[in-house]
Amino acid sequence: MNNPASITHCTLGELMIYQIARSIEDGILAFHGFGSPLVQLALHLAKHSHAPRLILVAGATYGVNPKPAFLTPTTNDFAMNRAAECQLSIEELFDLAASGHLGRMFLSGLQIDCWGNMNVTGLGQYDRFSLKLPGGGGGCNLSADASHITIWTAAHRTPLDGQGRRRYRLVKQCDFTTSVGHRTTDGMPRSTMPYRGKGPDCIVTDLGVFGFNADGHAELQQVYPDTFAELVAEHTEFDVPVSANLVTATLPDTEIVEFIRRLDPLKIHERELSQADRRRYFALNGSH
Amino acid sequence: MHIQDDKRCSLSELVAHIRNGDCVAIGGGLSWREPIAALRESIRQGVNALKLVGSAHGIDVDLLCGAGCVAVSAQSYVGFEQDFGMAPNYRRACEAGSVTIKDSCCYTLVQQLRAASQGLPFMPMRSVQGSDFMKLHPEFKTMLCPFTGDKLVLVPALQPDVAILHVQYADPHGNLHIDGPPVADILFAKASAKVIATVEKIISHEELVQFGVTIPYFYVTAIAEVPYGAHPTACYPFYAYDREHTARYYQAAKQGANSFADQYLKPFVYECWDHVDYLAAIGGAEQLSRLAQWQNSTEDWLKLYE
């Protein structure tokens, strides 16, 4: 199964990992947080393929350029830090970000709005949340400090509840702003803030890939072989502008798929996906 | 400054340094080197109304919330990552209002601890403004930088009353060696009024300097030798994360407060007279040697997580 020659399909998870990896530039310093296996795999994939000079800082351990034994179910594990070239501390990584040296960071949210603001703190009123979420780690700081942000979520598709409503992931407004995007909830543009970073430039989801237009508003740029713009709009609470150059996303090649499967034998990354999405496959190179 | 010649004491004496209502910094992070034996002992001693500060945490904070020891939670993250997801006891306590939510952010915490360890009233930063953390923390102020004119956020010094750490090695004088990521432990040690540590193995000073001193003795108030004191979190190279036990914890917690009390707190905290009892309750030598198998091969390491 793990011989590239015998690989005929990629999974949705592998496609998302590949799309996240494509957002990573060679030669930058990039950091993955914890609880984000899709991103962890994307960083290792990028370094293995198009970005060999990437300075890869592992979340939670702060090891630089580690060669993980395998992807572990929790992030702060020696297996993830194996053979790290050198070691940073929590303060050193965040200082690097604050001084403008963190090229890219990866953030997600239970709510993501059209400007790239996100909520991982709680639903409802901030003084009495109806649902307390785990919290954002360093996301608030890094959303301001990192040069660029890749946003991802594997839960864009939201089922209808008994009353025919959806609890959207891509929302009109976040209940709480944990990390900042291109415009504050009271309408202030990002440029009025003394942030070093330029904010999010893409959102990779289970339905497609967004960019951000000149106003800082999310815009659909890519769909997947089994999705289309109307489906994306149906599962998005805000109005979705569609790029004039909407394309179907490029699929990873078999070597890339093999690399991901070798690094994640426990399929930890599938825990980010819904049960149904774990069964989505795409044929590679015209094979069926 | 903590200058006693010999800092060694029992686990119960160590935990007696924590007072009701203290601001407590718990060392380690996520499933790594959490001082869980000390937390179990503090639950047995009935410590309560704690204000917890920290970066990314999991079972440590959830356990204290489940035992009703927490008044305020000011971490940047409390959860079980992709492994089990949200922290059930923490969530219940926050949503019921019995724990006041003061979520923080990693760099905000770093800057606040730095201010305390440098004797400064605050530290400035660019981030946080524009986010809703300003609402959760009315004590944060903004000012225009007198040099650049930039609007900056000022976060006040944070001096925890006590930092609770778990480390691999210490000498009797209290010099600590941490193998692997220190997370925020060094910052906590420098900023806190008291530092208490459980230690896998207390060794001579001559042996300790071979490993290196991560935290100098004069920051450290007291130490207790507690092998497997981080269980069920990992303390490499001695033992890996006990996913099996954590799953059991999570299932008990997920079913509700009563089932957590019956199925977890009772058998693993209240009915364990001490840490030796606890190690027997979790499966004794057989289970503990299983957690050391990670060293044999990658295959054995993988087996722990299947």
Side-chain angles (χ1 to χ4, degrees), chain A residues 16 24 60 82 87 161 199 231 271:
Chain A
M16 286 187 68
I24 301 166
R82 194 179 67 168
Q87 198 71 33
D161 68 12
L231 178 76
R271 296 183 193 183

Side-chain angles (χ1 to χ4, degrees), chain A residues 40 44 58-84 87, chain B residues 29-33 81 168-169 177-183 233-241 291 294-295 298 301 304-305:
Chain A
Q40 290 171 264
H44 286 287
T61 65
Y62 302 100
V64 178
N65 302 332
K67 305 250 181 320
F70 56 91
L71 205 80
T72 48
T74 63
T75 315
N76 202 332
D77 193 301
F78 266 27
M80 288 304 300
N81 212 45
R82 194 179 67 168
Q87 198 71 33
Chain B
L30 299 168
S31 66
W32 163 238
R33 224 169 27 70
E81 304 182 79
Q168 285 92 348
Y169 296 107
H177 171 79
I178 295 172
D179 196 0
V183 197
T233 67
C235 187
Y236 289 105
F238 298 103
Y239 47 97
Y241 164 55
L291 297 174
W294 71 273
Q295 310 191 52
T298 300
W301 209 347
L304 289 175
Y305 301 141

Side-chain angles (χ1 to χ4, degrees), chain B residues 14-26 47-53 64 69-73 158-164 193-196:
Chain B
L14 186 88
V15 165
H17 287 281
I18 309 167
R19 309 262 183 256
N20 291 342
D22 269 357
C23 174
V24 172
I26 303 173
V47 174
N48 63 53
L50 300 178
K51 177 188 177 181
L52 303 181
V53 298
L64 290 177
C69 306
V70 185
V72 181
S73 172
L158 174 64
Q159 184 187 46
D161 296 303
V162 54
I164 311 174
K194 287 186 283 191
V195 177
I196 59 174

Side-chain angles (χ1 to χ4, degrees), chain A residues 34-35 73-79 94-95 128 131-132 134-138 140-141 176-177 194-196 271, chain B residues 31-32 76-78 81-83 90-91 95-96 103 105-108 114 126-127 129 132-133 151 236 301 305:
Chain A
F34 46 84
T74 63
T75 315
N76 202 332
D77 193 301
F78 266 27
F94 281 92
D95 284 347
R128 190 64 188 267
L131 172 60
K132 179 67 183 80
C140 173
N141 305 126
F176 184 94
T177 304
Y195 304 151
R196 290 210 185 266
R271 296 183 193 183
Chain B
S31 66
W32 163 238
S76 70
Y77 173 92
V78 181
E81 304 182 79
Q82 68 272 9
D83 206 14
Y90 165 78
R91 255 195 73 184
E95 290 164 16
D103 277 30
C105 206
C106 294
Y107 198 44
T108 310
R114 277 175 161 164
R126 291 174 188 275
S127 55
Q129 56 190 310
D132 283 331
F133 285 99
K151 189 174 154 197
Y236 289 105
W301 209 347
Y305 301 141

Side-chain angles (χ1 to χ4, degrees), chain B residues 181-204:
Chain B
V183 197
D185 289 16
I186 302 170
L187 292 165
F188 285 151
K190 290 178 180 173
S192 301
K194 287 186 283 191
V195 177
I196 59 174
T198 50
V199 184
E200 287 293 326
K201 204 169 177 197
I202 296 178
I203 54 181
S204 71

